[in-house]
Coordinates of all heavy atoms in Angstrom, one line a residue:
M1 N 29.4 -8.2 6.3 CA 28.7 -8.2 7.6 C 27.3 -8.3 7.4 O 26.6 -7.5 6.7 CB 29.2 -7.0 8.5 CG 28.4 -6.8 9.8 SD 28.9 -8.2 10.8 CE 27.6 -7.9 12.2
T2 N 26.6 -9.1 8.0 CA 25.1 -9.3 7.9 C 24.4 -8.1 8.6 O 24.7 -8.0 9.8 CB 24.7 -10.8 8.5 OG1 25.3 -11.8 7.9 CG2 23.2 -10.8 8.3
Q3 N 23.4 -7.5 7.8 CA 22.8 -6.4 8.6 C 21.3 -6.6 8.3 O 20.9 -7.1 7.2 CB 23.3 -5.2 7.9 CG 24.6 -4.6 8.1 CD 25.0 -3.4 7.3 OE1 24.5 -3.1 6.3 NE2 25.8 -2.6 8.1
L4 N 20.5 -6.0 9.1 CA 19.0 -6.2 9.2 C 18.7 -5.3 7.7 O 19.2 -4.2 7.6 CB 18.4 -5.5 10.2 CG 18.4 -6.3 11.5 CD1 17.8 -5.6 12.7 CD2 17.6 -7.7 11.3
L5 N 17.7 -5.7 7.1 CA 17.2 -5.1 5.9 C 16.0 -4.2 6.3 O 15.1 -4.6 7.1 CB 16.7 -6.1 4.9 CG 17.6 -7.0 4.3 CD1 16.9 -8.2 3.4 CD2 18.8 -6.4 3.6
N6 N 16.0 -2.9 5.7 CA 14.9 -2.1 6.1 C 13.6 -2.4 5.2 O 13.8 -3.3 4.3 CB 15.3 -0.6 5.8 CG 15.6 -0.3 4.3 OD1 15.1 -0.9 3.4 ND2 16.5 0.7 4.2
D7 N 12.5 -1.9 5.4 CA 11.3 -2.4 4.7 C 11.4 -2.2 3.2 O 11.1 -3.3 2.6 CB 10.2 -1.5 5.2 CG 9.6 -2.0 6.6 OD1 10.0 -3.0 6.9 OD2 8.9 -1.1 7.2
S8 N 12.0 -1.3 2.7 CA 12.1 -1.1 1.2 C 13.1 -2.2 0.7 O 12.7 -2.8 -0.4 CB 12.5 0.2 0.8 OG 13.9 0.4 1.3
A9 N 14.1 -2.6 1.4 CA 15.0 -3.6 1.0 C 14.3 -5.0 1.1 O 14.5 -5.8 0.2 CB 16.3 -3.7 1.8
V10 N 13.5 -5.2 2.1 CA 12.8 -6.4 2.3 C 11.7 -6.6 1.0 O 11.6 -7.7 0.5 CB 11.9 -6.4 3.6 CG1 11.0 -7.7 3.7 CG2 12.9 -6.6 4.7
E11 N 11.1 -5.4 0.8 CA 10.1 -5.6 -0.4 C 10.8 -5.9 -1.7 O 10.4 -6.7 -2.5 CB 9.4 -4.1 -0.6 CG 8.3 -3.9 0.6 CD 7.3 -5.2 0.7 OE1 6.8 -5.6 -0.3 OE2 7.1 -5.8 1.8
Q12 N 12.0 -5.3 -1.8 CA 12.7 -5.7 -3.0 C 13.2 -7.1 -3.1 O 13.0 -7.8 -4.0 CB 13.9 -4.7 -3.2 CG 14.8 -4.9 -4.5 CD 15.9 -3.7 -4.5 OE1 16.1 -2.9 -3.6 NE2 16.6 -3.8 -5.6
A13 N 13.6 -7.6 -1.9 CA 14.1 -8.9 -1.9 C 12.9 -9.9 -2.0 O 13.1 -11.1 -2.6 CB 14.8 -9.2 -0.5
L14 N 11.7 -9.5 -1.5 CA 10.6 -10.5 -1.7 C 10.3 -10.6 -3.1 O 9.7 -11.8 -3.5 CB 9.4 -9.8 -1.1 CG 9.3 -10.1 0.5 CD1 8.2 -9.1 1.1 CD2 9.1 -11.5 0.8
G15 N 10.6 -9.7 -4.0 CA 10.4 -9.8 -5.4 C 11.3 -11.0 -6.1 O 10.9 -11.5 -7.1
T16 N 12.2 -11.3 -5.3 CA 13.2 -12.6 -5.9 C 12.6 -13.9 -5.4 O 13.1 -14.8 -5.9 CB 14.6 -12.4 -5.5 OG1 14.6 -12.6 -4.0 CG2 15.1 -10.8 -5.8
V17 N 11.8 -13.8 -4.5 CA 11.1 -15.1 -3.9 C 9.6 -15.0 -3.9 O 9.0 -15.0 -2.7 CB 11.8 -15.4 -2.5 CG1 13.2 -15.9 -2.6 CG2 11.6 -14.3 -1.7
P18 N 9.0 -15.0 -5.1 CA 7.5 -14.8 -5.1 C 6.6 -15.8 -4.4 O 5.5 -15.6 -4.1 CB 7.2 -14.7 -6.6 CG 8.4 -15.4 -7.3 CD 9.5 -15.1 -6.5
E19 N 7.3 -17.0 -4.1 CA 6.4 -18.0 -3.4 C 6.4 -17.8 -1.8 O 5.8 -18.6 -1.1 CB 7.1 -19.3 -3.6 CG 7.1 -19.9 -5.1 CD 5.7 -20.0 -5.7 OE1 4.9 -20.5 -4.9 OE2 5.6 -19.9 -6.9
W20 N 7.2 -16.7 -1.4 CA 7.3 -16.6 0.1 C 6.4 -15.4 0.4 O 6.3 -14.4 -0.3 CB 8.7 -16.3 0.4 CG 9.7 -17.5 0.2 CD1 10.0 -18.1 -1.0 CD2 10.2 -18.3 1.3 NE1 10.8 -19.2 -0.8 CE2 11.0 -19.3 0.6 CE3 10.2 -18.3 2.6 CZ2 11.5 -20.4 1.3 CZ3 10.8 -19.3 3.3 CH2 11.4 -20.3 2.7
Q21 N 6.0 -15.4 1.7 CA 5.2 -14.2 2.3 C 5.9 -13.7 3.5 O 6.6 -14.5 4.2 CB 3.8 -14.6 2.6 CG 2.8 -14.8 1.5 CD 3.1 -16.0 0.7 OE1 3.2 -17.2 1.3 NE2 3.0 -16.0 -0.6
R22 N 5.8 -12.4 3.6 CA 6.4 -11.9 4.9 C 5.5 -11.8 6.1 O 4.3 -11.5 5.9 CB 6.8 -10.3 4.6 CG 7.5 -9.6 5.9 CD 7.9 -8.3 5.7 NE 8.6 -7.8 6.8 CZ 9.1 -6.5 6.9 NH1 9.1 -5.6 5.9 NH2 9.8 -6.2 7.9
E23 N 5.8 -12.3 7.3 CA 5.1 -12.1 8.4 C 5.9 -11.6 9.5 O 6.7 -12.1 10.1 CB 4.6 -13.5 8.9 CG 3.7 -14.4 8.0 CD 3.2 -15.6 8.4 OE1 3.7 -16.1 9.5 OE2 2.4 -16.2 7.7
D24 N 5.8 -10.1 9.5 CA 6.7 -9.4 10.4 C 8.2 -9.7 10.2 O 8.7 -9.3 9.0 CB 6.4 -9.5 11.8 CG 5.0 -9.1 12.1 OD1 4.4 -8.2 11.5 OD2 4.2 -9.8 12.8
A25 N 8.9 -10.2 11.1 CA 10.3 -10.5 11.0 C 10.7 -11.8 10.4 O 11.8 -12.2 10.5 CB 11.0 -10.3 12.4
V26 N 9.8 -12.4 9.7 CA 9.9 -13.7 9.1 C 9.4 -13.7 7.7 O 8.4 -13.0 7.3 CB 9.2 -14.7 10.0 CG1 9.3 -16.1 9.5 CG2 9.6 -14.7 11.5
I27 N 10.0 -14.6 6.9 CA 9.4 -14.9 5.6 C 9.0 -16.5 5.6 O 9.7 -17.3 6.3 CB 10.4 -14.6 4.4 CG1 11.7 -15.3 4.4 CG2 10.4 -13.1 4.2 CD1 12.6 -15.1 3.2
V28 N 7.9 -16.6 4.9 CA 7.3 -18.0 5.2 C 6.9 -18.7 3.7 O 6.4 -17.9 2.9 CB 5.9 -17.9 5.9 CG1 5.3 -19.3 6.2 CG2 6.3 -17.2 7.3
R29 N 7.2 -19.8 3.6 CA 6.6 -20.5 2.4 C 6.2 -21.9 2.8 O 6.8 -22.7 3.6 CB 7.8 -20.9 1.4 CG 7.2 -21.6 0.2 CD 8.3 -21.9 -1.0 NE 7.4 -22.6 -2.1 CZ 8.1 -22.9 -3.2 NH1 9.3 -22.5 -3.5 NH2 7.3 -23.6 -4.1
T30 N 4.9 -22.2 2.3 CA 4.2 -23.6 2.6 C 4.1 -24.2 1.2 O 3.8 -23.6 0.2 CB 2.9 -23.4 3.3 OG1 3.1 -22.8 4.5 CG2 2.2 -24.7 3.5
T31 N 4.4 -25.6 1.2 CA 4.3 -26.3 -0.1 C 4.0 -27.8 0.3 O 4.1 -28.2 1.4 CB 5.7 -26.4 -0.7 OG1 5.6 -26.9 -2.0 CG2 6.7 -27.1 0.0
E32 N 3.2 -28.3 -0.6 CA 2.8 -29.8 -0.5 C 3.5 -30.6 -1.4 O 3.6 -30.5 -2.6 CB 1.4 -29.8 -0.8 CG 0.8 -31.2 -0.4 CD -0.7 -31.4 -0.4 OE1 -1.4 -30.4 0.1 OE2 -1.3 -32.4 -1.0
L33 N 4.1 -31.7 -0.9 CA 4.9 -32.7 -1.6 C 4.0 -34.0 -1.9 O 2.9 -34.0 -1.2 CB 6.1 -33.2 -0.8 CG 7.3 -32.2 -0.9 CD1 7.7 -32.0 -2.2 CD2 7.0 -30.9 -0.1
P34 N 4.3 -34.8 -3.0 CA 3.3 -36.0 -3.2 C 3.3 -37.0 -2.1 O 2.3 -37.7 -2.2 CB 4.0 -36.6 -4.5 CG 5.2 -35.8 -4.6 CD 5.4 -34.8 -3.8
S35 N 4.2 -37.0 -1.2 CA 4.1 -38.1 -0.2 C 5.1 -37.5 0.9 O 5.9 -36.8 1.0 CB 4.8 -39.4 -0.7 OG 6.1 -39.3 -0.8
F36 N 4.9 -38.3 2.2 CA 5.6 -38.0 3.3 C 7.1 -38.2 3.1 O 7.9 -37.4 3.3 CB 5.1 -38.7 4.6 CG 5.7 -38.5 5.8 CD1 5.6 -37.1 6.5 CD2 6.6 -39.4 6.4 CE1 6.3 -36.9 7.6 CE2 7.2 -39.1 7.7 CZ 7.0 -37.8 8.3
P37 N 7.5 -39.4 2.5 CA 8.9 -39.5 2.2 C 9.5 -38.5 1.2 O 10.7 -38.1 1.6 CB 8.9 -40.9 1.6 CG 7.8 -41.6 2.1 CD 6.7 -40.7 2.2
A38 N 8.7 -38.0 0.3 CA 9.2 -36.9 -0.6 C 9.4 -35.6 0.3 O 10.4 -35.0 0.1 CB 8.1 -36.7 -1.6
A39 N 8.5 -35.4 1.1 CA 8.6 -34.1 2.0 C 9.9 -34.2 2.9 O 10.8 -33.3 2.9 CB 7.5 -34.1 2.9
I40 N 10.2 -35.5 3.4 CA 11.4 -35.7 4.2 C 12.7 -35.5 3.4 O 13.7 -35.1 3.7 CB 11.4 -37.1 5.1 CG1 10.2 -37.2 5.9 CG2 12.7 -37.3 5.8 CD1 10.2 -35.9 7.0
E41 N 12.6 -36.0 2.1 CA 13.9 -35.9 1.3 C 14.1 -34.5 1.2 O 15.2 -34.0 1.1 CB 13.6 -36.6 -0.1 CG 13.6 -38.2 -0.2 CD 13.2 -38.7 -1.5 OE1 13.2 -37.8 -2.6 OE2 12.8 -39.8 -1.6
V42 N 13.1 -33.6 0.9 CA 13.3 -32.1 0.8 C 13.8 -31.6 2.0 O 14.9 -30.8 2.0 CB 11.9 -31.5 0.4 CG1 12.1 -29.9 0.5 CG2 11.5 -31.9 -1.0
V43 N 13.4 -32.0 3.2 CA 13.9 -31.4 4.4 C 15.3 -31.9 4.5 O 16.1 -31.1 5.0 CB 13.1 -32.0 5.6 CG1 13.8 -31.7 6.9 CG2 11.6 -31.4 5.5
D44 N 15.7 -33.0 4.2 CA 17.1 -33.5 4.3 C 18.0 -32.8 3.5 O 19.0 -32.3 3.9 CB 17.2 -35.1 3.8 CG 18.5 -35.6 4.0 OD1 19.1 -35.5 5.1 OD2 19.1 -36.2 3.2
R45 N 17.6 -32.4 2.2 CA 18.4 -31.5 1.3 C 18.6 -30.1 1.8 O 19.6 -29.5 1.9 CB 17.8 -31.6 -0.1 CG 18.6 -30.8 -1.1 CD 20.1 -31.3 -1.4 NE 20.8 -30.4 -2.2 CZ 22.0 -29.9 -1.9 NH1 22.7 -30.2 -0.6 NH2 22.8 -29.2 -2.6
V46 N 17.4 -29.6 2.3 CA 17.5 -28.3 3.0 C 18.5 -28.2 4.1 O 19.1 -27.3 4.3 CB 16.0 -27.8 3.3 CG1 16.1 -26.5 4.1 CG2 15.2 -27.6 2.0
A47 N 18.3 -29.3 4.9 CA 19.3 -29.2 6.1 C 20.7 -29.3 5.7 O 21.5 -28.5 6.4 CB 19.1 -30.6 6.9
E48 N 21.1 -29.9 4.6 CA 22.4 -29.9 4.1 C 22.8 -28.4 3.8 O 23.9 -27.9 4.0 CB 22.6 -30.8 2.9 CG 22.6 -32.2 3.3 CD 22.5 -33.1 2.0 OE1 22.4 -32.6 0.8 OE2 22.6 -34.4 2.2
L49 N 21.9 -27.7 2.9 CA 22.2 -26.4 2.6 C 22.2 -25.4 3.6 O 23.1 -24.5 3.9 CB 21.0 -25.9 1.6 CG 21.0 -26.8 0.3 CD1 19.7 -26.4 -0.4 CD2 22.2 -26.4 -0.6
A50 N 21.4 -25.7 4.8 CA 21.4 -24.9 5.9 C 22.6 -24.9 6.6 O 23.3 -24.0 7.1 CB 20.1 -25.2 6.9
E51 N 23.2 -26.2 6.7 CA 24.5 -26.4 7.4 C 25.6 -25.6 6.7 O 26.5 -25.0 7.3 CB 24.7 -27.8 7.6 CG 24.0 -28.5 8.6 CD 24.4 -28.1 10.1 OE1 25.4 -28.5 10.5 OE2 23.6 -27.3 10.5
E52 N 25.6 -25.8 5.3 CA 26.6 -25.1 4.4 C 26.5 -23.6 4.7 O 27.7 -23.0 4.8 CB 26.4 -25.5 3.0 CG 26.8 -26.9 2.7 CD 26.2 -27.3 1.3 OE1 25.9 -26.3 0.6 OE2 26.2 -28.6 1.0
A53 N 25.3 -23.1 4.8 CA 25.2 -21.6 4.9 C 25.3 -21.2 6.4 O 25.3 -19.9 6.6 CB 23.7 -21.2 4.4
D54 N 25.3 -22.1 7.3 CA 25.1 -21.7 8.8 C 24.0 -20.8 9.1 O 24.1 -19.9 9.7 CB 26.4 -21.1 9.4 CG 26.4 -21.1 10.8 OD1 25.7 -21.8 11.5 OD2 27.1 -20.1 11.4
H55 N 23.0 -21.1 8.4 CA 21.7 -20.4 8.5 C 20.5 -21.5 8.5 O 20.4 -22.1 7.5 CB 21.5 -19.2 7.4 CG 20.7 -18.2 7.7 ND1 20.8 -17.2 8.7 CD2 19.4 -17.9 7.2 CE1 19.7 -16.5 8.8 NE2 19.0 -16.9 8.0
H56 N 19.6 -21.4 9.3 CA 18.7 -22.6 9.5 C 17.4 -22.1 9.4 O 17.0 -21.2 10.3 CB 19.0 -23.4 10.8 CG 20.4 -23.9 10.7 ND1 21.4 -23.1 11.0 CD2 21.0 -25.1 10.3 CE1 22.7 -23.8 11.0 NE2 22.4 -25.0 10.4
P57 N 16.5 -22.7 8.7 CA 14.9 -22.3 8.8 C 14.4 -23.0 10.0 O 14.7 -24.1 10.4 CB 14.4 -22.9 7.5 CG 15.3 -24.0 7.2 CD 16.7 -23.7 7.6
D58 N 13.2 -22.5 10.3 CA 12.3 -23.3 11.3 C 11.3 -24.1 10.1 O 10.9 -23.6 9.2 CB 11.4 -22.4 12.0 CG 12.1 -21.6 13.0 OD1 13.3 -22.0 13.3 OD2 11.6 -20.5 13.3
I59 N 11.3 -25.5 10.5 CA 10.6 -26.2 9.5 C 9.4 -26.9 10.2 O 9.5 -27.6 11.3 CB 11.4 -27.3 8.9 CG1 12.7 -26.7 8.2 CG2 10.7 -28.1 7.8 CD1 13.7 -27.6 7.6
D60 N 8.2 -26.8 9.7 CA 7.1 -27.4 10.3 C 6.6 -28.5 9.3 O 6.5 -28.3 8.0 CB 5.9 -26.4 10.4 CG 4.5 -27.0 11.0 OD1 3.7 -27.7 10.2 OD2 4.4 -27.0 12.2
I61 N 6.6 -29.8 9.7 CA 6.3 -31.0 8.8 C 4.9 -31.6 9.3 O 5.0 -31.9 10.4 CB 7.4 -32.0 9.0 CG1 8.7 -31.5 8.7 CG2 7.1 -33.2 8.0 CD1 9.9 -32.5 9.1
R62 N 4.0 -31.6 8.5 CA 2.6 -32.1 8.6 C 2.2 -33.0 7.4 O 1.9 -32.5 6.5 CB 1.5 -31.0 8.8 CG 1.9 -30.1 10.1 CD 1.1 -29.0 10.2 NE 1.6 -28.1 11.3 CZ 0.8 -27.6 12.4 NH1 -0.5 -27.9 12.4 NH2 1.4 -26.9 13.1
W63 N 2.6 -34.3 7.6 CA 2.3 -35.3 6.6 C 3.1 -34.8 5.3 O 4.3 -34.9 5.3 CB 0.8 -35.4 6.4 CG 0.6 -36.5 5.4 CD1 1.4 -37.6 5.0 CD2 -0.7 -36.8 4.5 NE1 0.7 -38.4 4.2 CE2 -0.6 -38.0 3.9 CE3 -1.8 -36.2 4.5 CZ2 -1.5 -38.4 3.0 CZ3 -2.9 -36.6 3.8 CH2 -2.7 -37.8 2.9
R64 N 2.4 -34.4 4.4 CA 3.0 -34.0 3.0 C 3.3 -32.5 2.9 O 3.7 -32.1 1.9 CB 2.1 -34.4 1.8 CG 1.9 -36.0 1.8 CD 1.0 -36.2 0.7 NE -0.3 -35.7 0.8 CZ -1.4 -35.9 -0.1 NH1 -1.2 -36.9 -1.0 NH2 -2.5 -35.3 0.0
T65 N 2.9 -31.7 3.8 CA 2.9 -30.3 3.8 C 4.1 -29.8 4.8 O 4.2 -30.0 5.8 CB 1.6 -29.7 4.4 OG1 0.5 -30.2 3.6 CG2 1.7 -28.1 4.2
L66 N 4.8 -29.0 4.0 CA 6.1 -28.4 4.7 C 5.9 -26.9 4.7 O 5.5 -26.2 3.7 CB 7.4 -28.7 3.9 CG 7.8 -30.1 3.7 CD1 9.1 -30.2 2.9 CD2 8.0 -30.7 5.1
T67 N 6.2 -26.3 5.9 CA 6.2 -24.8 5.9 C 7.7 -24.5 6.4 O 8.2 -24.9 7.6 CB 5.2 -24.3 7.0 OG1 3.8 -24.7 6.5 CG2 5.2 -22.9 7.1
F68 N 8.3 -23.7 5.7 CA 9.6 -23.1 6.0 C 9.5 -21.7 6.5 O 8.7 -20.9 5.8 CB 10.5 -23.1 4.9 CG 10.8 -24.4 4.2 CD1 10.0 -24.9 3.2 CD2 11.8 -25.3 4.8 CE1 10.2 -26.2 2.6 CE2 12.0 -26.4 4.4 CZ 11.3 -27.0 3.2
R69 N 10.0 -21.3 7.7 CA 10.0 -20.0 8.2 C 11.6 -19.5 8.4 O 12.4 -20.2 8.9 CB 9.4 -19.9 9.5 CG 7.8 -20.0 9.3 CD 7.2 -19.9 10.8 NE 5.7 -19.9 10.6 CZ 5.0 -20.9 10.4 NH1 5.5 -22.0 10.5 NH2 3.6 -20.8 10.4
L70 N 11.9 -18.3 7.8 CA 13.3 -17.8 7.9 C 13.2 -16.5 8.4 O 12.4 -15.6 8.1 CB 13.8 -17.7 6.5 CG 14.3 -19.0 5.8 CD1 14.4 -19.0 4.4 CD2 15.7 -19.6 6.5
S71 N 14.2 -16.4 9.4 CA 14.5 -15.0 10.0 C 15.9 -15.2 10.5 O 16.4 -16.3 10.8 CB 13.5 -14.8 11.1 OG 13.8 -13.5 11.7
T72 N 16.6 -14.1 10.7 CA 17.9 -14.1 11.3 C 17.9 -13.8 12.8 O 17.7 -12.8 13.2 CB 18.9 -13.0 10.6 OG1 18.8 -13.3 9.2 CG2 20.3 -13.1 11.2
H73 N 17.8 -15.0 13.4 CA 17.5 -15.0 14.9 C 18.4 -14.0 15.7 O 17.9 -13.3 16.6 CB 17.5 -16.3 15.4 CG 16.5 -17.3 14.8 ND1 15.2 -17.0 14.7 CD2 16.8 -18.5 14.2 CE1 14.6 -18.0 13.9 NE2 15.5 -18.9 13.7
Y74 N 19.6 -14.0 15.4 CA 20.6 -13.3 16.3 C 20.4 -11.7 16.0 O 20.9 -11.1 16.9 CB 22.0 -13.7 16.2 CG 22.8 -13.2 15.0 CD1 23.6 -12.1 15.0 CD2 22.7 -13.9 13.7 CE1 24.4 -11.7 14.0 CE2 23.4 -13.5 12.7 CZ 24.2 -12.4 12.8 OH 24.9 -12.0 11.7
L75 N 19.9 -11.4 15.1 CA 19.5 -9.9 14.8 C 18.0 -9.6 15.0 O 17.7 -8.4 14.9 CB 20.0 -9.5 13.4 CG 21.5 -9.6 13.1 CD1 21.9 -9.2 11.7 CD2 22.3 -8.5 14.1
G76 N 17.3 -10.7 15.1 CA 15.8 -10.4 15.4 C 15.1 -9.8 14.1 O 14.2 -9.2 14.3
G77 N 15.6 -10.1 13.0 CA 14.8 -9.7 11.8 C 15.2 -10.3 10.4 O 15.8 -11.4 10.6
L78 N 14.9 -9.7 9.4 CA 15.4 -10.2 8.1 C 16.7 -9.7 7.5 O 16.9 -8.4 7.6 CB 14.2 -10.0 7.1 CG 12.9 -10.7 7.3 CD1 11.8 -10.2 6.7 CD2 13.0 -12.2 7.1
T79 N 17.4 -10.5 7.0 CA 18.7 -10.2 6.3 C 18.8 -10.9 5.0 O 18.0 -11.7 4.7 CB 19.9 -10.6 7.1 OG1 20.0 -12.0 7.2 CG2 19.7 -10.0 8.6
E80 N 19.8 -10.6 4.2 CA 20.0 -11.2 2.9 C 20.3 -12.7 3.1 O 19.9 -13.5 2.3 CB 21.3 -10.6 2.2 CG 21.5 -11.2 0.9 CD 20.3 -11.3 0.0 OE1 19.4 -10.4 -0.1 OE2 20.2 -12.4 -0.7
R81 N 20.8 -13.1 4.4 CA 21.1 -14.6 4.7 C 19.5 -15.3 4.5 O 19.6 -16.4 4.0 CB 21.5 -14.9 6.0 CG 23.0 -14.3 6.1 CD 23.5 -14.3 7.5 NE 23.6 -15.6 8.0 CZ 24.8 -16.2 8.4 NH1 25.9 -15.5 8.1 NH2 25.0 -17.4 8.7
D82 N 18.5 -14.7 4.9 CA 17.3 -15.2 4.8 C 16.8 -15.5 3.4 O 16.3 -16.6 3.0 CB 16.2 -14.5 5.7 CG 16.5 -14.4 7.0 OD1 16.7 -15.4 7.7 OD2 16.8 -13.2 7.5
F83 N 17.0 -14.5 2.6 CA 16.5 -14.6 1.2 C 17.4 -15.5 0.5 O 17.0 -16.1 -0.5 CB 16.5 -13.2 0.7 CG 15.4 -12.3 1.2 CD1 15.5 -11.5 2.2 CD2 14.0 -12.5 0.7 CE1 14.5 -10.8 2.8 CE2 12.9 -11.8 1.2 CZ 13.1 -10.9 2.3
A84 N 18.7 -15.4 0.7 CA 19.6 -16.4 0.0 C 19.3 -17.8 0.2 O 19.1 -18.6 -0.7 CB 21.2 -16.2 0.4
L85 N 18.8 -18.1 1.4 CA 18.5 -19.6 1.6 C 17.1 -19.8 1.2 O 17.0 -20.9 0.5 CB 18.6 -19.8 3.2 CG 18.2 -21.4 3.6 CD1 19.2 -22.3 2.9 CD2 18.2 -21.5 5.2
A86 N 16.2 -18.9 1.2 CA 14.9 -19.1 0.5 C 15.1 -19.4 -0.9 O 14.4 -20.2 -1.5 CB 14.1 -17.7 0.7
R87 N 16.0 -18.7 -1.7 CA 16.2 -19.0 -3.1 C 16.7 -20.2 -3.2 O 16.4 -21.1 -4.1 CB 17.1 -18.0 -3.6 CG 16.5 -16.6 -3.8 CD 17.4 -15.6 -4.7 NE 18.4 -15.2 -3.8 CZ 18.3 -14.0 -3.1 NH1 17.2 -13.4 -2.9 NH2 19.4 -13.5 -2.5
Q88 N 17.6 -21.0 -2.3 CA 18.1 -22.2 -2.4 C 16.9 -23.3 -2.0 O 16.9 -24.3 -2.8 CB 19.2 -22.4 -1.4 CG 20.5 -21.8 -1.7 CD 21.7 -22.1 -0.9 OE1 21.5 -21.6 0.4 NE2 22.5 -22.8 -1.3
I89 N 16.1 -22.9 -1.1 CA 14.9 -23.9 -0.9 C 13.9 -23.8 -2.3 O 13.6 -24.9 -2.6 CB 14.2 -23.4 0.3 CG1 15.0 -23.5 1.5 CG2 12.8 -24.1 0.4 CD1 14.4 -22.9 2.8
D90 N 13.8 -22.8 -2.8 CA 13.0 -22.7 -4.1 C 13.6 -23.6 -5.1 O 13.0 -24.3 -5.7 CB 12.9 -21.3 -4.6 CG 12.0 -20.4 -3.6 OD1 11.2 -21.0 -2.9 OD2 12.0 -19.3 -3.9
E91 N 15.0 -23.6 -5.2 CA 15.7 -24.3 -6.1 C 15.6 -25.9 -6.0 O 15.2 -26.6 -6.8 CB 17.2 -24.1 -6.2 CG 17.5 -22.7 -6.8 CD 18.9 -22.3 -6.6 OE1 19.8 -23.1 -6.2 OE2 19.2 -21.1 -6.9
V92 N 15.5 -26.1 -4.6 CA 15.3 -27.7 -4.2 C 14.0 -28.0 -4.7 O 13.8 -29.1 -5.3 CB 15.5 -27.9 -2.8 CG1 15.1 -29.2 -2.3 CG2 17.0 -27.6 -2.3
L93 N 13.0 -27.3 -4.4 CA 11.7 -27.5 -4.7 C 11.2 -27.7 -6.3 O 10.6 -28.4 -6.8 CB 10.6 -26.6 -4.1 CG 10.5 -26.7 -2.5 CD1 9.8 -25.6 -1.9 CD2 10.0 -28.1 -2.1
A94 N 11.9 -26.6 -7.0 CA 11.7 -26.6 -8.5 C 12.4 -27.8 -9.1 O 12.0 -28.1 -10.3 CB 12.4 -25.3 -8.9
A95 N 13.5 -28.4 -8.5 CA 14.2 -29.4 -9.1 C 13.5 -30.8 -9.0 O 13.8 -31.8 -9.6 CB 15.5 -29.6 -8.4
R96 N 12.4 -30.8 -8.2 CA 11.7 -32.1 -7.9 C 10.9 -32.6 -9.1 O 10.3 -31.7 -9.9 CB 10.8 -31.9 -6.7 CG 11.4 -32.1 -5.4 CD 10.4 -32.2 -4.3 NE 9.3 -33.0 -4.8 CZ 9.4 -34.4 -4.9 NH1 10.6 -35.0 -4.5 NH2 8.5 -35.2 -5.2
Ligands
H2B101 C1 26.7 -20.0 15.8 C2 26.0 -19.9 14.6 O1 26.6 -19.3 13.5 C3 24.6 -19.2 14.7 O2 24.0 -19.6 15.9 C4 23.7 -19.4 13.5 C5 23.1 -20.6 13.4 N1 21.9 -20.7 12.4 C6 21.2 -19.5 12.4 N2 19.9 -19.6 11.8 C7 19.1 -18.5 11.7 N3 18.0 -18.6 11.0 N4 19.4 -17.5 12.4 C8 20.6 -17.3 13.1 O3 20.7 -16.2 13.6 C9 21.5 -18.3 13.0 N5 22.5 -18.4 13.8

């Protein structure tokens, strides 16, 4: 069962995703790709992973810069689902 993480659990989980920052009930990562098509390819792959996980990031696309925001909306805070998808997004970006 998905449960909200307390602050100490969030801090511990943040250690597994060093590229991400916490903003209250959200974790955020911004990254720049070499081109707009490259950015869209990343978004497309993340969309597949999000569908598989039934957990979806908010994605801001500005030319080559992507910003991913993760929070568990139905609980109004951070859960392991957010960090699991964040790790998958990190893998997509690292594989480029
Ligand atoms: C019905 C479906 O499982 C829910 O609406 C899912 C969809 N994707 C989701 N994504 C995120 N980030 N938070 C949610 O609470 C959520 N809920």
Side-chain angles (χ1 to χ4, degrees):
M1 173 65 188
T2 304
Q3 290 180 325
L4 285 175
L5 299 175
N6 62 32
D7 283 345
S8 63
V10 169
E11 286 309 307
Q12 186 175 1
L14 278 170
T16 68
V17 287
E19 301 291 334
W20 294 71
Q21 282 78 40
R22 180 181 186 178
E23 293 179 359
D24 298 326
V26 181
I27 54 172
V28 184
R29 178 175 179 178
T30 297
T31 189
E32 183 170 321
L33 282 303
S35 68
F36 185 67
I40 298 304
E41 282 176 17
V42 167
V43 170
D44 187 49
R45 180 64 185 127
V46 170
E48 292 170 356
L49 294 168
E51 281 294 283
E52 288 166 15
D54 190 27
H55 198 72
H56 303 81
D58 300 339
I59 304 173
D60 183 275
I61 305 170
R62 297 175 191 226
W63 187 18
R64 302 178 298 186
T65 300
L66 297 179
T67 298
F68 296 98
R69 288 183 172 80
L70 281 164
S71 187
T72 301
H73 299 309
Y74 80 95
L75 292 176
L78 288 167
T79 70
E80 182 47 37
R81 294 169 71 114
D82 300 304
F83 290 95
L85 186 56
R87 286 189 286 270
Q88 288 186 290
I89 292 170
D90 288 349
E91 287 169 14
V92 170
L93 293 169
R96 279 194 41 77

